Amino acid sequence: MVRRTVFNEDHEAFRETVRAFIEAEVVPVYDEWLAAGQAPRDFYYKLAELGIFGIRVDEEYGGAGIDSYKFEAVLYEETARAGVTFGGSGVHVLLGLPYIKLLATDEQKKRYLPKFVSGEEMWAIAMTEPGTGSDLAGMKTTAKLSEDGTHYVLNGAKTFITGGVHADRMIVCARTSAPTAEDRRYGISLFVVDTKAEGYSVGRKLDKLGLKTSDTAELAFVDVKVPVEDLLGEENKGFYYLGHNLASERWGIAYGAYAQAKAAVRFAKEYVQQRTVFGQPVAAFQNTKFELAACQAEVDAAEAVADRATEALDAGELTPAEAASAKLFCTEVAHRVIDRCLQLHGGYGFMNEYPIARLYADNRVNRIYGGTSEIMKSIIAKDMGL
């Protein structure tokens, strides 16, 4: 195998710390989280104490000031390796932080970031609406400026909002102007909404196929007052901002999928070496060897794609088409690999007590959220000039 060069000694030291943390703080109580359908709120304070939330935040706001996604890549690998997730905390860092760093004024950063780093305020983003799916330009939620110009009045609904139950601050996408005939994407703005505001409500906590420990909810806004000081970026340019940050979001999904595929091979290899049928280990059969060898080859390819995308993202050079390509490839590889590794478990692969079963369910959404595989193909085709 080719030696990886994406990580250095600092990343490996961080890996050891995270692995020990997962073994001590997550694995012993993970079944309780699964039963509850979410990680407990106080767990996020533990992540904050570990420094997870502040890695890419400037030191003046309490962070480490490291402008790199590689530590997050390590987190993806280690949570997948252990067969666990960190609840809804991923959206806090991967989705929330890029918008603050890109769009927030100095005054806003002083208000937002210290509490972001400490875990005192958990962030999420509300884009998707009932009936719109990937068509973000079709959103109906509105934000109208008050007559005195001091606040916006927010009305509408959102769905499939990961982190929606625990969130203290929600970046809400809403229409501030009607779309134009030339550009239906025009008129969307971003707002940082206090989830304790009057008229803001969390509806159902959605019962998902997988990702059982991440809280996903429906949201409703009825005449929610949002101070003008909490407009994020410029009015009516929200769709551009969303497009700008989708590359990092899709990188995260791609890298997470690769990490899950890698973990699936590990789970299957351990299982077939221990499980005996017809008087010999399952690993002794040629079919088992060939299946795992094929899976390993696919994981190696996904690893190369994920690492290349990581380097490009850190360099500020990951294009929307490249991010779409990485997401499409890595999620499709993970789909095939995890399915084949579950098959090698036989009937036990269908039992939730085995991590491969949970991984199978958790992985399925990767080809849907952040833009479906079909949307990724459209983006790639457009970049090809087709």
Side-chain angles (χ1 to χ4, degrees):
M1 294 183 183
V2 178
R3 184 176 64 86
R4 300 176 78 186
T5 58
V6 69
F7 298 124
N8 61 29
E9 292 181 358
D10 290 339
H11 301 120
E12 296 307 328
F14 178 69
R15 184 188 302 279
E16 292 181 9
T17 299
V18 169
R19 189 172 295 183
F21 174 82
I22 290 173
E23 288 299 319
E25 300 289 345
V26 182
V27 172
V29 294
Y30 197 66
D31 285 343
E32 297 174 17
W33 295 7
L34 289 170
Q38 62 187 35
R41 180 62 176 82
D42 61 3
F43 172 68
Y44 299 136
Y45 288 110
K46 294 180 181 180
L47 289 178
E49 291 173 6
L50 195 63
I52 299 297
F53 297 155
I55 292 172
R56 290 190 288 111
V57 176
D58 291 342
E59 292 182 34
E60 63 181 299
Y61 304 115
I66 301 173
D67 191 19
S68 172
Y69 284 81
K70 292 182 181 179
F71 291 94
E72 288 169 52
V74 171
L75 285 174
Y76 283 122
E77 292 187 353
E78 290 305 307
T79 50
R81 179 185 182 277
V84 302
T85 69
F86 279 175
S89 66
V91 298
H92 179 67
V93 176
L94 183 65
L95 301 190
L97 184 57
Y99 288 97
I100 303 173
K101 294 183 68 172
L102 176 69
L103 303 173
T105 64
D106 289 341
E107 184 276 331
Q108 287 175 322
K109 288 178 180 177
K110 290 176 183 177
R111 284 195 290 124
Y112 299 152
L113 285 174
K115 293 180 180 180
F116 179 100
V117 172
S118 69
E120 184 177 344
E121 288 186 349
M122 295 299 294
W123 285 59
I125 184 167
M127 291 187 258
T128 306
E129 296 184 0
T132 62
S134 296
D135 182 20
L136 296 179
M139 69 177 62
K140 305 297 184 184
T141 297
T142 60
K144 299 186 181 299
L145 188 63
S146 62
E147 291 185 3
D148 62 6
T150 62
H151 63 272
Y152 291 85
V153 180
L154 183 68
N155 283 283
K158 300 289 183 178
T159 192
F160 305 144
I161 308 306
T162 303
V165 175
H166 282 318
D168 302 288
R169 290 276 188 173
M170 182 68 66
I171 300 174
V172 178
C173 311
R175 281 211 164 273
T176 43
S177 297
T180 66
E182 297 77 22
D183 187 3
R184 63 190 295 268
R185 298 171 297 182
Y186 173 81
I188 294 171
S189 301
L190 307 184
F191 299 90
V192 177
V193 181
D194 184 342
T195 63
K196 296 184 293 295
E198 184 177 353
Y200 181 107
S201 62
V202 178
R204 290 188 302 150
K205 182 165 73 70
L206 300 173
D207 184 15
K208 308 185 297 296
L209 170 68
L211 297 178
K212 292 291 190 179
T213 67
S214 70
D215 51 305
T216 302
E218 296 174 330
L219 307 177
F221 320 111
V222 179
D223 294 335
V224 178
K225 293 181 179 180
V226 184
V228 292
E229 292 82 9
D230 286 325
L231 171 68
L232 200 57
E234 295 183 39
E235 201 176 81
N236 299 323
K237 292 188 176 180
F239 198 93
Y240 165 77
Y241 300 142
L242 294 173
H244 183 278
N245 283 332
L246 277 174
S248 60
E249 178 184 353
R250 287 166 178 163
W251 165 82
I253 297 170
Y255 205 98
Y258 144 69
Q260 289 175 321
K262 182 178 181 179
V265 173
R266 174 175 175 264
F267 295 146
K269 179 182 175 183
E270 291 177 351
Y271 178 82
V272 298
Q273 288 176 327
Q274 298 168 3
R275 174 71 170 166
T276 300
V277 294
F278 303 117
Q280 60 182 322
V282 175
F285 293 91
Q286 185 183 63
N287 179 70
T288 303
K289 296 176 182 179
F290 281 7
E291 282 293 284
L292 282 177
C295 287
Q296 183 62 54
E298 290 218 71
V299 169
D300 287 345
E303 181 178 87
V305 170
D307 285 355
R308 184 182 69 176
T310 303
E311 296 286 15
L313 183 62
D314 270 11
E317 299 172 354
L318 185 65
T319 68
E322 289 169 344
S325 179
K327 180 183 184 295
L328 176 65
F329 184 77
C330 290
T331 58
E332 294 291 340
V333 164
H335 163 65
R336 293 191 297 269
V337 167
I338 294 170
D339 184 74
R340 293 166 84 172
C341 287
L342 186 150
Q343 187 73 15
L344 288 173
H345 281 71
Y348 289 104
F350 203 64
M351 301 296 110
N352 279 326
E353 65 185 277
Y354 281 80
I356 191 67
R358 300 196 299 266
L359 196 60
Y360 183 88
D362 289 349
N363 172 262
R364 185 58 185 89
V365 75
N366 288 334
R367 293 183 289 148
I368 298 174
Y369 67 3
T372 63
S373 291
E374 291 73 24
I375 294 293
M376 297 305 100
K377 292 173 184 177
S378 296
I379 293 170
I380 297 165
K382 184 178 180 180
D383 186 67
M384 294 170 66
L386 298 174

